[in-house]
Amino acid sequence: MSKTVLLIGIEPTTIDFSHPDYAAFPGLTATKIQAGLDHDKASLEKEGYVVDFCLFAIGDLAGKAAGMLKATAYDFVLIGAGVRKPPSNFLVFERLINIVHGSAPKAKICFNTGLTDSIDAVQRWT
């Protein structure tokens, strides 16, 4: 049976790149983020994982993730760097950790460090 992965992140088109939190990431665009997400999904699928995206505006992300975690038992839950790194997202990140812990206690929680290394994060726990 294939291992399942839920990739949690912010829907790229909803990110305000003019916000000061994104100044540390010059040149970052929704198109670049989406390309990284698509690359990561394809890389994981090539290795035999079944991958779902949970991509929503930051304000909706925790609730949507909770719904997806209740509907499917994932083996891995990856919370993307875009959720974790900007300081203004801290409370959402904290809420997500508790939602994953409560809704998917058997899932491995993974963290990527950039746009194209999600497979490394998942395989650390395989």
Side-chain angles (χ1 to χ4, degrees), residues 35-59:
L37 290 166
D38 293 340
H39 170 273
D40 277 357
K41 184 176 186 205
S43 295
L44 285 161
E45 289 175 340
K46 183 178 177 182
E47 293 298 318
Y49 296 94
V50 175
V51 182
D52 289 331
F53 281 140
C54 178
L55 304 173
F56 295 94
I58 193 71

Side-chain angles (χ1 to χ4, degrees), residues 17-79:
F17 294 100
S18 68
H19 190 282
D21 281 353
Y22 291 93
F25 312 103
L28 192 61
T29 66
T31 301
K32 288 180 182 178
I33 293 172
Q34 189 62 56
L37 290 166
D38 293 340
H39 170 273
D40 277 357
K41 184 176 186 205
S43 295
L44 285 161
E45 289 175 340
K46 183 178 177 182
E47 293 298 318
Y49 296 94
V50 175
V51 182
D52 289 331
F53 281 140
C54 178
L55 304 173
F56 295 94
I58 193 71
D60 298 329
L61 193 54
K64 298 294 186 178
M68 291 184 77
L69 289 166
K70 287 179 186 172
T72 303
Y74 290 95
D75 298 298
F76 304 93
V77 177
L78 185 141
I79 300 174

Side-chain angles (χ1 to χ4, degrees), residues 62-126:
K64 298 294 186 178
M68 291 184 77
L69 289 166
K70 287 179 186 172
T72 303
Y74 290 95
D75 298 298
F76 304 93
V77 177
L78 185 141
I79 300 174
V83 175
R84 296 187 330 275
K85 288 186 176 184
S88 61
N89 294 346
F90 174 75
L91 293 177
V92 173
F93 174 57
E94 180 180 59
R95 187 169 174 215
L96 280 169
I97 291 293
N98 283 291
I99 287 169
V100 172
H101 176 68
S103 299
K106 293 182 180 181
K108 300 295 185 191
I109 300 172
C110 311
F111 304 110
N112 62 5
T113 60
L115 291 176
T116 58
D117 67 349
S118 294
I119 193 162
D120 297 330
V122 169
Q123 289 183 332
R124 283 193 294 267
W125 297 101
T126 301

